[in-house]
Amino acid sequence: MTGEIVWRIAGGSGDGIDSTSQNFAKALMRSGLHVFTHRHYPSRIRGGHTYVEVRADDQPVRARGDGFNFLLALGDSFARNTKEHAYYGNEQAKPLAENLDDLRDGGVVVYDEGLLDASEIEDFEARAEEHNWHVYPMDLRGMARDQGREVMRNTAGVGVTCALLDYPLEPIEKLMEDRMSGDVLEANLEILEYAAEQANQLDHTHDLRMPQGEHDSEQALVSGSNGIAYGAIDEGCRFVAGYPMTPWTEVFTLLSQHLPDMGGIAEQVEDEIAAAALALGASHAGVKALSGSSGGGFALMSEPLGLAEMTETPLVLVEATRAGPSTGMPTKTEQGDLEHVLYTSQGDSCRVVFAPGNQREAYEQTRQAFELAYDFHLPAVVVYDQKLSGELRNVDADFFDREPNPDLGATLTEEELAEAAHYATGTFERFQHDPQGAPEGVSPRSIPGQADGRYLASGNEHHPTGHISEDPDNRVAQMDRRMRKLAAIRERLDERESNQVRHGAADATVGVMTYGSNQGTVHEAVDRLVEDGHSVASLSVSDLMPFPEADVGEFLDSVETCLVVEMNASGQFRGLVQRELGTHGDILHSLLKYNGEPFEPHEIVEAVEGLGSGDPATAATRYVPAGSD
Amino acid sequence: MSFTPLHQHDDDAEREPTDREAFTPGIEPQATWCPGCGDFGVLKALKGAMGDLGYTPEEVLLVTGIGCSGKLSSYFESYGFHSIHGRSLPVARAAKLANPGLEVVAAGGDGDGYGIGGNHFVHTARENHDMTYIVFNNEIFGLTKGQTSPTSPMGHKSKTQPHGSAKAPIRPLSLSLVGGASYVARTAAVNPNQAQEIIKEAIQHDGFAHVDFLTQCPTWNKDAKQYVPYIDVQQSDDYEFDYHDRREASEMMHDVEDALHEGEVLTGRFYHDPDRPSYQEEKRAHGDVPEDSLAERYHDDDYEWERSYDLMDAHK
C-alpha cells in the first residue's frame, strides 16, 4: 500500500459536505498532490447520510480507492430536530455508524462529539479495538460556536484533519482567502487555527501522514461534467436546452451559467421532448446546439432523436445515467442505459455514441461528438454516468488550452448552393441519393436564410428535395445512404489515435474489458495484478456506435480469457460485444455490479484472481461465467 | 469555408408585395388533402399573406407537426421543417431564437396542437415567443381516419368513442389567452378574405400570435357544415368589445366557445396586446440573448470565439 490518504468527510446532506471536500481537494492539489474525489449522497435535500472521499497521493490517482483511512464524521445537523416523532430523529449517529464498514485497519476517526455520541453505537469500541482504529472525539460544534458560528464546524474538522496528518494550514487558508472575505473569512481562519491547535495538543497515536508531492505544471480540478461542458464550448456550442434531472443537471447548470455571457443562449423548458426538439430547431437554423438528460428524461428524447436521424439534422445529446429502471435510484450510479442509448427511437439506429472513460475523454469525445454530428448530419450521444459526472480529478490545466472549432461541418455556401442541384422551380436537392464528392453518405445542407437553399426537412421518408415520398427505390437509396455514414465514421475514427485504451502487460493471457467510467478503476486493478505477477491487460472502450470491431477483435484475439466489467445487472456491454463481433462468446466472463456504488479496485483484482476457480464475485458484485447467458 | 450572411427579414422595413406564386413548390406534393378540405384555405391565406407582406421563400421557416395539417409544408415553398406529432412549437421557437431574422411560422392540427402538443402550446404562449402559430381546427383526427379530437363536441361519436365523448371540448382561445399569447384570433377556411387579413396581422405581430383556423373536414366530419354561417365579430354591430382589453377579450372568448356548438360560429380578432414584449425582447433585456443573430455568427470568419480555457481559473 502506498502512503496515500483517503479522507472521508461524512454528515447530513445540506451540511456543506460537498463544498468542504471540494475545497480540501483543491488545496491538496495546489500543494502538489494528485487528487480524486468520490461522492455518495442520498436523494434527499437535507439530512440523511452523505459522504465524500478525497483520495490524495504523490502519484496520479485514477479512481476511488479500496475503502478509506481517515474519517471525519461531522454529524447530521438536521437530525437534531427537537420536535417529537420527527422524521430525522433516529439518524443521529449515522455519520459515524454508517461509515465504519470500509474504514481500513489502523485508520483514524475524528467525530464531532458536539453532535454525535459514540456510545450510541453498540459495537463501536470493540470494532475500534479489533481494527486498531485511532479515535479522536472533538467538540467541533462547540469550537465553531465559540470562535465564530456553529455552521463553521466543517472548518474546525478540516483544521483537526490538518493537525492530525501533519499537513500545513497555508494552502487551506489561501483557498479561504480566495473564496471568502470580511467577517466570514476572519471567523473561518480563527476556527481553523483554533481547531488545529486543539488537535495538536492531543496525544497522536496514529502514524498516517499526508503525502508530499509536486506538480510539473499548473493543475485544474475538474469533473466529468466539466469535461463535457467545456468540450461543447470549445466546439462552438452556443445553445443549450434542458430540463433539470440528476445528474445531467450538472452539465446543464454549467452551460446555463456560461453560455449567455459568451453570447449564447440557454433555455430551461417544459420537458425533455421540448428540450431536444429545441436543440434540433437551433441546429437546423445553423447554430451548434446541445441537449441532454438522464435515463427517464432521455426516454422522452427518443422522438427528437429519431427525427434528427431522419431529417439528417446535427444533434448532440448527453445522457448522464443513473440506476434504473424508471426513476430508479436518482443519485446512484449505473451503466444500465446502454441499450436504451444505442437503440431507442423507431427504425434502424443511425447515430454516434461515445462513452468517455474519464474527465479528459469527456472533453475530447464531446468535441468528437460535435464534429461528427455536424460533418455527418446525425445525432451523437455522449453517455456517461453519475459516477463520472461528479468525480473531481486534477488535470493539466493546459489540456484545455485548445483552439475553438465553430465550423458548421458539411454546409454549402451561397455560391456553392447556386451551383448545386435544384428541382424544377428551385427547391434545393438537400437529400441527393449520391451527392457528388460525398461517398461518405453525406449530402451537404443549407441553412435557413441562404439563397437557393430552401428545402423541406421531413421526418417522413423523402425525395431529394425533402418532400414526402414512399417510392420504394427512393426509400432504399435514402436508407442506404444514411446507413453508409456509420461505416465512414468508423473509418475516420480508425485513422486516428484510438478512443479505446489498452493498458497492462504487453502479451497478456487474461483480458479485462470495460467501457466508460470504470476505466480508472480497471487500470488500477490491472497495475496491481501485473505487479503481483499476473499476465493481465485491459481494454476500455469508448466508441459504442459505430462499434470499434477491429480494436476489440484484436484485443480478444490476443487473450485466452476475458472479464467484462460493467455496472448493470444484465451484462449489456458484453451483449453488445457479442452482437457486434459474433465471436469470442466462449471466453467472455462478466463481472457485474448494480448496487448503486462504483467498483472498487480490489473487486476487479479478486475477480481476475478467481477467474479459473469457480465464483470470483465479492459481496457487492455478481460473476457470470462464459457461455452462461 | 466562408459564408455570405444569411438573408434576414426586417419586420419594420416597407416592402413591395411579392408574387404569392413563389410560395408554390415546384414539386407535386404527395396528395393527402381530400377535395373540399378546409386545409386548402389555410394554404391560400398563408401564401397570400406572405406575398402581400413582401416576403421571399428564403426568409420563411415553416415548421409543421404530423397529420393532414402537417402536410402544409409540402404544399408551401419555403424553408420547411415537417417535424413530429405535437412538437412543431419547440423546434420553431428555437429556430427563431437562433436566427431572429427568420420569419417563423408553426402549424399543426387540433390533435397535434391542443392534444399531444398541449404542454408546448401553453408554454410557448406563456413565453410569448415571436412567431405565428396556426392551428387547423376541424374537430377531428383526419389522417388516422376520424377519431374524436380535443375539440370534438361533447357526445361526439367515433370508432374510438362509440358511446359518444364524455369530455367537454378544449377551449383553445381561452387557453391561449390564459397561457399568455399576445395575439389570439379565429378564422375559417370559408372566409378567405378575413383569413388572409388575420394571418397577415399574426405575422406582423411581435409576440406569440395564435390563430385558431376552422377547417372543415368533408371526409371524416360531415358535421363541418355546422360552421356555416360564420359571423365576423369585427364586421357585426352585435358584438361590441375591445379586443385590446384582456377582460373583455376573455369574456368574449368564453361566449364564442360556448356558442360554437350551438350553431353560431364567431370569428375575428379576440385579443391583441401590441405592447407586451416578446420573449426575445425580454431575454435581451435580461442580457440573455445576443443583440445580433446567433446563427449569423457562424457565418462570420472574423468572429472571435471564446474558449473554455478562459473559464479554467475557477478550477485551478
Side-chain angles (χ1 to χ4, degrees), chain A residues 518-538:
Chain A
N518 306 316
Q519 185 186 111
T521 317
V522 166
H523 285 186
E524 180 165 339
V526 166
D527 285 349
R528 284 195 215 167
L529 285 159
V530 169
E531 216 167 282
D532 286 350
H534 292 273
S535 172
V536 182
S538 65

Side-chain angles (χ1 to χ4, degrees), chain B residues 121-123 125-127 171-182 184 210 246 249-251 253-254 257 271 276:
Chain B
F121 175 52
V122 173
H123 285 274
R126 167 192 162 217
E127 291 169 8
R171 306 172 79 94
L173 306 176
S174 300
L175 185 62
S176 187
L177 182 76
V178 170
S182 46
V184 185
H210 167 221
R246 203 178 173 83
S250 171
E251 204 169 307
M253 285 178 192
H254 200 78
E257 286 166 331
Y271 185 59
R276 183 182 170 196

Side-chain angles (χ1 to χ4, degrees), chain B residues 128-177:
Chain B
N128 198 32
H129 285 265
D130 182 13
M131 55 184 282
T132 302
Y133 185 38
I134 305 170
V135 181
F136 297 49
N137 183 358
N138 58 8
E139 302 183 0
I140 197 86
F141 282 161
L143 202 57
T144 50
K145 302 194 174 179
Q147 295 80 16
T148 304
S149 96
T151 48
S152 300
M154 179 92 94
H156 179 263
K157 286 188 180 176
S158 70
K159 283 180 208 161
T160 52
Q161 308 276 316
H163 303 297
S165 171
K167 298 177 192 181
I170 209 161
R171 306 172 79 94
L173 306 176
S174 300
L175 185 62
S176 187
L177 182 76

